[in-house]
Amino acid sequence: MSVPRYWRNIPQRVRMEALKCKSCGKIIYPPRAKCIYCGKNDFECYTIPEKGRLISFSIIRHPPIGFEHTTPYVVGIIEFENGLRISSQITDVDINELKIGMEVEQVFRKVSEDGKSGIIQYAIKFRPIFQNI
Amino acid sequence: MRRVAIISYGMTKVDRHWNKSIKDLFSEATLKAINKVNIPKVDAIFVGNMCASDLCDQNNIGTVVADHLGMIPIPSYRIEAACGSGGAAILSGFMAVSSGLFDIVVVGGVEKLTDGVGKKATFSLGKAADFEYELFYGITFASLNALIMRRYMEVYKVPREAFADFAVLMHRNGAKNPYAQLQFEINRETVLKSEDIADPIKLYDCAPIGDGAAVVILCPLEDASRYSDSFVEIAGIGSATDTIDIASREDLLLLKSILIAANNAYKMAKVSPSDIDLAEIHDAFTINAALSLEALGFSKRGEFDKLLYDGAFEPDGLIPVNLSGGLKSRGHPVGATGVYQIAEIIMQLLGEAGKNQLKNAEIGLAQNMAGVASNSYVTILKRCR
């Protein structure tokens, strides 16, 4: 991935910035030119909450290019209090402890490397919140 | 708008065609289709293809196939809608003929997945999903379907075995289809004991990687009898889109684009789901079968397993599904799949389906999609007498 291509998504990759539709109040993520619910395009910036719940997950055994070294790894759909859902990678987790409904929180991590000479791509992933810590 | 007929079809077996290129495959299917009918000319070619840019290092596929077939200088171009490319090519051909712009068009699909080495094919197929917000995080195409499958099992309490048993049915059908890539039967254990791909999806929940080409020839319905003794009508056709990433959908278990495309196709054909005699559905993963059958109106939501165990999808059931073996057993040469489905429905309607032949099939439906139904095509074919 070219540097500009990674760089232009930094608000999403590292700050989890979504759009809030001023007209219908819904959260749009990934960002779009128009609201997918009401069709208006008057937005304000909305930061996705730190904590959410895992509503589905999968353990990837056959990775695409760039993810060979971390396989197996976990991906999931996270749901937040306001009903917003996003997909991301779930990290810092023992695959035997994965459970639907488990609480997860944002954490900044390396995602992949673009070969030997390309950039290292970082982004926010999600990790389980352990109650006893 | 002119009514549109399909007067011929041709296919290669779906396989790992090590000795054939993308051109060889497309020409083989096209010549089979052309040689069956008596047409004076071809006005245009529409070719569905997804992965040639990545795996064959070739764009401009329309020109490549027209050149190989000796059809220069007619218009010819590629239609790309990921795994729905074949369905999209059919819609394009339909529009071209019904509008009156062209009279006789070749509509096909071709895919050559085995020209990609190693993980290239997985990566290329993954591009049906959202690169920036899914693939970036290492989410694969199989895992997107796995996320939906786990959710389906959680919400509807459908046992995992039901998905395995659907694969068993597909292989039973495919074992009798000479064009199928995996012409053998399996049992529930074959699926459950197969390799993990993206939990809960196992190897035998997935369509295989293969190559193939399928072609049909379209013309105005009123001219069809001049060129061929047997033909079908495209009685209804519909298409719709949904969000490119799956998490943005309000209902993760409703494939809305299929629902909308199907309703438009039913309306155009003036039929309802109960009028359909057989269906070819897009079961790239077994979970896709459940959600597609529900969105098409063949099953209530969350009850796919009940109908499966009632025998509804068997060859003698209420709605025979994928007599070809479906993507699971016939194979899934992605950009060609939508055209294979159409060709297989035509074979059934014209009584040319061999060992899998249904009796008295009048109306068939083909459903093809890209991604997790981010882009859908539904086509309804009627037998013409």
Side-chain angles (χ1 to χ4, degrees):
Chain A
M1 184 182 288
S2 71
V3 174
R5 193 174 180 199
Y6 174 76
W7 164 82
R8 77 174 82 102
N9 282 332
I10 280 183
Q12 286 74 45
R13 302 275 182 252
V14 312
R15 296 197 295 274
M16 296 303 291
E17 285 182 12
L19 299 175
K20 183 171 186 175
C21 177
K22 285 187 183 171
S23 174
C24 73
K26 296 265 184 133
I27 311 298
I28 311 297
Y29 188 88
R32 290 161 167 97
K34 287 203 172 198
C35 175
I36 54 173
Y37 302 99
C38 73
K40 301 277 170 52
N41 61 349
D42 193 8
F43 298 117
E44 59 192 7
C45 184
Y46 171 89
T47 305
I48 292 175
E50 290 273 329
K51 294 174 186 178
R53 275 177 196 284
L54 189 62
I55 64 159
S56 192
F57 60 89
S58 177
I59 304 157
I60 294 182
R61 318 280 182 164
H62 285 257
I65 296 160
F67 292 84
E68 297 88 345
H69 304 302
T70 53
T71 305
Y73 58 94
V74 182
V75 299
I77 298 176
I78 300 118
E79 188 173 275
F80 301 91
E81 257 180 18
N82 55 14
L84 172 72
R85 293 189 192 124
I86 68 162
S87 19
S88 188
Q89 203 181 113
I90 312 301
T91 188
D92 303 10
V93 65
D94 176 343
I95 56 174
N96 298 310
E97 286 173 1
L98 282 162
K99 264 201 322 242
I100 289 177
M102 79 194 297
E103 272 202 292
V104 291
E105 66 181 358
Q106 294 181 17
V107 61
F108 194 63
R109 286 285 182 269
K110 181 167 125 180
V111 178
S112 64
E113 287 175 23
D114 188 2
K116 282 183 182 162
S117 53
I119 57 167
I120 298 171
Q121 292 153 174
Y122 292 89
I124 285 170
K125 299 182 184 178
F126 286 78
R127 71 176 173 194
I129 304 173
F130 294 107
Q131 308 296 345
N132 54 352
I133 294 172
Chain B
M1 216 169 77
R2 300 196 290 187
R3 291 169 73 178
V4 178
I6 304 182
I7 52 171
S8 189
Y9 62 90
M11 289 177 267
T12 69
K13 179 182 185 291
V14 183
D15 216 332
R16 300 190 171 212
H17 288 286
W18 304 113
N19 59 341
K20 288 175 188 167
S21 73
I22 198 163
K23 312 181 240 197
D24 298 329
L25 291 168
F26 193 81
S27 292
E28 184 181 324
T30 304
L31 294 175
K32 273 187 194 171
I34 287 179
N35 291 340
K36 275 193 244 180
V37 286
N38 180 28
I39 47 172
K41 58 165 185 174
V42 173
D43 292 322
I45 303 171
F46 298 99
V47 49
N49 170 269
M50 175 181 177
C51 298
S53 315
D54 294 336
L55 306 180
C56 308
D57 302 311
Q58 182 70 65
N59 280 344
N60 207 353
I61 301 300
T63 310
V64 169
V65 300
D67 185 342
H68 198 247
L69 280 162
M71 289 192 179
I72 283 174
I74 66 166
S76 175
Y77 55 89
R78 166 199 192 178
I79 312 278
E80 191 273 317
C83 331
S85 300
I90 297 285
L91 177 60
S92 304
F94 176 85
M95 291 191 292
V97 175
S98 72
S99 72
L101 184 65
F102 297 133
D103 288 324
I104 301 176
V105 302
V106 164
V107 177
V110 63
E111 207 69 65
K112 184 69 204 154
L113 294 178
T114 61
D115 272 358
V117 178
K119 296 182 172 66
K120 257 182 138 179
T122 307
F123 192 60
S124 182
L125 293 168
K127 293 179 186 176
D130 185 337
F131 182 86
E132 287 186 353
Y133 291 93
E134 292 175 332
L135 268 60
F136 174 84
Y137 294 97
I139 298 174
T140 59
F141 193 46
S143 67
L144 287 169
N145 288 284
L147 291 169
I148 300 277
M149 182 171 167
R150 191 183 298 279
R151 176 88 175 160
Y152 189 94
M153 294 192 292
E154 172 80 7
V155 170
Y156 296 131
K157 309 296 174 207
V158 169
R160 200 265 172 261
E161 289 75 17
F163 296 96
D165 292 338
F166 183 82
V168 172
L169 172 62
M170 290 301 97
H171 275 262
R172 205 184 306 142
N173 291 344
K176 288 182 270 179
N177 176 4
Y179 293 101
Q181 181 175 0
L182 305 181
Q183 285 177 41
F184 54 84
E185 295 199 26
I186 58 168
N187 57 39
R188 185 189 276 185
E189 294 306 305
T190 319
V191 183
L192 298 180
K193 288 185 176 160
S194 65
E195 190 183 348
D196 286 319
I197 300 295
D199 317 26
I201 286 181
K202 287 176 170 281
L203 181 65
Y204 270 83
D205 287 303
C206 312
I209 296 276
D211 311 322
V215 165
V216 293
I217 300 176
L218 274 52
C219 77
L221 181 65
E222 58 187 21
D223 298 342
S225 59
R226 279 165 38 197
Y227 308 130
S228 179
D229 295 333
S230 55
F231 49 89
V232 303
E233 181 184 3
I234 300 180
I237 190 162
S239 170
T241 48
D242 201 347
T243 61
I244 184 76
D245 70 309
I246 59 165
S248 289
R249 299 179 189 172
E250 283 186 289
D251 186 341
L252 291 170
L253 299 180
L254 177 64
L255 301 185
K256 221 194 260 178
S257 70
I258 301 178
L259 184 84
I260 296 166
N263 283 343
N264 289 340
Y266 288 138
K267 205 171 144 192
M268 188 187 223
K270 299 187 179 69
V271 297
S272 66
S274 60
D275 297 318
I276 305 295
D277 296 319
L278 75 157
E280 285 287 328
I281 63 156
H282 192 103
D283 59 325
F285 299 91
T286 48
I287 177 64
N288 296 152
L291 294 174
S292 297
L293 288 164
E294 292 172 16
L296 290 167
F298 296 136
S299 165
K300 283 186 188 156
R301 295 188 62 190
E303 295 189 3
F304 140 85
D305 56 326
K306 291 198 182 80
L307 282 174
L308 176 71
Y309 292 127
D310 284 349
F313 310 137
E314 306 271 343
D316 59 352
L318 210 58
I319 173 75
V321 169
N322 292 356
L323 290 159
S324 66
L327 281 62
K328 178 71 214 63
S329 168
R330 181 246 293 127
H332 183 26
V334 274
T337 293
V339 186
Y340 271 94
Q341 294 177 319
I342 298 288
E344 281 144 0
I345 296 283
I346 298 170
M347 287 167 74
Q348 288 289 344
L349 298 182
L350 298 183
E352 298 171 4
K355 287 182 192 166
N356 280 333
Q357 183 63 49
L358 276 189
K359 279 187 188 142
N360 300 320
E362 295 275 345
I363 306 176
L365 176 147
Q367 172 253 328
N368 179 216
M369 69 187 187
V372 188
S374 55
N375 198 318
S376 284
Y377 299 85
V378 174
T379 309
I380 296 171
L381 302 177
K382 272 189 187 173
R383 180 161 77 179
C384 299
R385 289 172 190 277

